[in-house]
Amino acid sequence: TGGVNLDATPPARRYRTVIGAASLIVAPAFMSVGDLMHPHESWDAAAQVAMVVESASRWYVAHLLLFVGMLVFVPGILTLSDVVTQRRPAAGYAARVLLVVSVGALSAVFVCEMLLGRFVSQGAVQAAAVVLFQTFQSGAILGALLPGLLAFFIGTALFVTPLAATTGPFRWPALCLALGAALIMGEIILAEVLLSQIGNVLILVA
């Protein structure tokens, strides 16, 4: 070995574990702060734009933090899926693919929301902002993103189930994460920001 002490060499996977663990703390922290800053929401485009007009900068920063948090979450996703793969290889692989796909869809949503905030803060006419938001809500845009959004919740269920089904150190964190994801889904459906605020904090705790 040319005098190299192999015993002193760190395991090849150690750096992945450290990065993954950091991701699972930092990403939910960013998203929790972003969601706690988030103004109220409404599926009614005119009502939503009126809320954005009242706090356009806050709206933009909240979604910027959500966007950054989602990108930082990628190493954590890979780490969690590795843990699941050791128990159920097929479920772990499917969870990894679905969650990585969902990063693209969720990031697109956050960027659209950031765009709306900047559009309004730079003096856009409110009626034009309503049209922009309605366009985002249309089947041509939101409908195209829907499969990717669903992939997040299906992928979460796939990696939570093997961990929560057996006793061990991963059980309660997995259940906590599942509850957080369910609350985020409730927020998307009901436009109740409080649900995702609680959900993101639960994911951070998990």
Side-chain angles (χ1 to χ4, degrees):
T1 61
V4 176
N5 184 358
L6 295 179
D7 292 335
T9 304
R13 294 176 58 86
R14 182 176 297 171
Y15 75 94
R16 298 184 188 178
T17 302
V18 171
I19 293 172
S23 168
L24 292 172
I25 298 170
V26 175
F30 269 110
M31 300 187 78
S32 295
V33 173
D35 231 6
L36 290 170
M37 291 180 60
H38 201 297
H40 294 297
E41 280 189 319
S42 172
W43 276 107
D44 180 83
Q48 182 64 86
V49 169
M51 295 175 191
V52 176
V53 169
E54 292 177 0
S55 51
S57 295
R58 180 180 164 193
W59 177 273
Y60 169 79
V61 172
H63 289 95
L64 174 62
L65 290 171
L66 289 166
F67 172 63
V68 172
M70 181 53 60
L71 296 183
V72 174
F73 198 42
V74 171
I77 290 172
L78 299 178
T79 298
L80 286 175
S81 59
D82 280 345
V83 174
V84 177
T85 300
Q86 294 171 11
R87 290 158 174 77
R88 297 186 189 174
Y93 176 77
R96 176 183 298 157
V97 171
L98 289 170
L99 288 170
V100 169
V101 166
S102 74
V103 168
L106 287 164
S107 296
V109 170
F110 296 146
V111 170
C112 286
E113 302 277 21
M114 289 163 58
L115 173 64
L116 179 63
R118 293 298 295 165
F119 190 62
V120 169
S121 67
Q122 292 184 355
V125 177
Q126 192 163 330
V130 171
V131 173
L132 176 64
F133 192 64
Q134 288 174 331
T135 303
F136 167 65
Q137 290 180 318
S138 68
I141 305 298
L142 198 56
L145 293 174
L146 186 58
L149 299 177
L150 290 174
F152 174 79
F153 300 103
I154 297 170
T156 299
L158 282 174
F159 81 68
V160 161
T161 301
L163 300 180
T166 57
T167 58
F170 295 106
R171 185 173 194 177
W172 288 108
L175 290 171
C176 187
L177 195 150
L179 178 58
L183 288 171
I184 292 172
M185 176 181 284
E187 183 272 338
I188 294 173
I189 296 170
L190 301 175
E192 284 290 341
V193 177
L194 179 62
L195 295 177
S196 64
Q197 289 173 339
I198 297 172
N200 274 306
V201 171
L202 284 174
I203 292 174
L204 173 60
V205 171

